[in-house]
Amino acid sequence: MHSTKSAVLLLALAISASCVVATPHPEFLDEIFGSINQTGQHIISGFVNATRNGTAIAGEFLDSIRNSSAQYTHETLEFAQKIADAVHRAATESIVDFSATLRAQIDALHQGIDRVRNILQREALKDALARLQTVNTVVNDLEVAVNNLNDRIDEKKQEYFAIIQKKWYQWSDAQLERVDKLTNGVGNEEAEEIINELLSRYSGYLHSCLEELQAQQATFEQNVQEAIEKYHNATNELTDQVELCVQFNLSFLSCRNGINEALRGLDSAPAELLTLKLQGIRLLAIGLNASGCVGQTLAEHELEKPSVERKLDEIIAEYQEQQTSTDDDSSSNNETTTISS
């Protein structure tokens, strides 16, 4: 159920980002919806209906998830990856759009300040300019952090899979070769079943680890998108007030009050966006750390290897006992034949 939990969390995030309450088939999920099986579509439809009706924790729906989950477990990693990719695209596109708006408004403010003759009005516009420049700097840093997180996690995935491929399969090949040599191939089939079960089980654990990481990353990026949208709207409101000051020759008091009111919407922007940046850095540090899920899985695999090796030793010992017994029987028969002669 670990994989299912993460996939369901990713699905909930995707639906949240798509405003499902307003639209039963959000455009955001169109590509994902068409790529999963009927069971997955049933679960998505259930989430949509549950969200619209305010009954997302209804027992009947949760039962349907539990009953259906086994049917699409084999697809869950690809399913989760598609949702995580969609959430990442939404976050990065929001940042790019906001950055473009900030740059345009900063340029417009520079020009507006030059046109305004009233010193007090110019000071109000300069306050707005300073705030947008501060926000722009933090947004640029956040964009780097989001992209770096995504790139580094992809690199870490490849790095871990390379280690796994080398360590796990070298060990597996060595064990199978040992059994083949010491049993003359008789114990190969049983040995392969034992080793394949171990590899399959731990591969599943690792998939769950990566899916959990995807869920954490998607949660972070969803928070980024929501914050960016909030401050993008606040920036647009500030822009409207600046245009009123510049184009309609408002009094200093009206200009100052309007800008101050709009600036309140951006008061928390530098601190909140910086906090999100630091969260991204921490997620990168702990997400695939050796003490985390992947490292723990690798360590548990190492601890279980001796148990598997003992099972293989038993296969070898059983074969050798049978050979010894066969040799003894053969020797006994030869002695009996010699005496009879």
Side-chain angles (χ1 to χ4, degrees), residues 47-183:
F47 254 111
V48 171
N49 292 331
T51 305
R52 294 172 68 194
N53 297 331
T55 57
I57 58 172
E60 181 180 352
F61 177 57
L62 290 181
D63 285 341
S64 74
I65 291 179
R66 281 192 289 269
N67 294 334
S68 302
S69 61
Q71 300 177 40
Y72 79 98
T73 295
H74 67 286
E75 294 184 353
T76 187
L77 189 63
E78 180 182 358
F79 171 56
Q81 184 64 56
K82 287 179 180 293
I83 294 178
D85 288 344
V87 173
H88 176 69
R89 285 198 306 272
T92 53
E93 288 171 4
S94 295
I95 293 175
V96 169
D97 290 345
F98 187 30
S99 294
T101 296
L102 285 169
R103 289 193 300 271
Q105 298 312 319
I106 288 171
D107 290 342
L109 266 170
H110 278 298
Q111 297 173 13
I113 290 171
D114 292 339
R115 292 202 304 268
V116 171
R117 295 289 175 254
N118 185 291
I119 295 177
L120 296 178
Q121 284 185 332
R122 291 182 69 180
E123 288 302 316
L125 295 178
K126 286 180 180 179
D127 288 345
L129 175 61
R131 179 63 58 82
L132 291 184
Q133 288 173 327
T134 299
V135 172
N136 186 52
T137 298
V138 181
V139 169
N140 289 338
D141 290 344
L142 179 59
E143 181 178 12
V144 171
V146 169
N147 288 327
N148 186 52
L149 172 64
N150 190 68
D151 293 343
R152 291 290 302 279
I153 285 179
D154 282 344
E155 290 173 6
K156 280 292 185 181
K157 287 179 185 177
Q158 297 304 318
E159 177 184 329
Y160 271 109
F161 277 126
I163 293 173
I164 291 163
Q165 187 79 14
K166 182 178 180 181
K167 286 188 175 181
W168 287 13
Y169 287 96
Q170 280 186 349
W171 172 81
S172 299
D173 290 344
Q175 294 304 312
L176 289 174
E177 183 178 350
R178 180 169 71 93
V179 173
D180 179 64
K181 180 179 180 180
L182 296 177
T183 67

Side-chain angles (χ1 to χ4, degrees), residues 276-290:
L276 285 169
K277 170 192 170 183
L278 296 177
Q279 286 177 359
I281 293 173
R282 284 196 294 271
L283 178 58
L284 177 60
I286 68 175
L288 282 175
N289 189 277

Side-chain angles (χ1 to χ4, degrees), residues 258-287:
I259 287 179
N260 283 346
E261 180 67 25
L263 283 174
R264 290 192 186 96
L266 291 169
D267 280 346
S268 58
E272 183 175 353
L273 297 177
L274 176 60
T275 297
L276 285 169
K277 170 192 170 183
L278 296 177
Q279 286 177 359
I281 293 173
R282 284 196 294 271
L283 178 58
L284 177 60
I286 68 175

Side-chain angles (χ1 to χ4, degrees), residues 124 127-128 131 231 233-242 244-245 252-268:
D127 288 345
R131 179 63 58 82
Y231 294 123
N233 291 336
T235 298
N236 289 337
E237 292 178 7
L238 177 60
T239 299
D240 292 341
Q241 289 299 322
V242 168
L244 288 174
C245 287
F252 159 71
L253 189 59
S254 296
C255 180
R256 165 62 72 182
N257 289 342
I259 287 179
N260 283 346
E261 180 67 25
L263 283 174
R264 290 192 186 96
L266 291 169
D267 280 346
S268 58

Side-chain angles (χ1 to χ4, degrees), residues 215-234:
Q216 293 180 37
Q217 181 183 357
T219 300
F220 162 71
E221 290 178 336
Q222 174 68 6
N223 291 337
V224 168
Q225 183 188 10
E226 290 174 354
I228 291 295
E229 182 179 355
K230 176 174 66 175
Y231 294 123
H232 199 159
N233 291 336

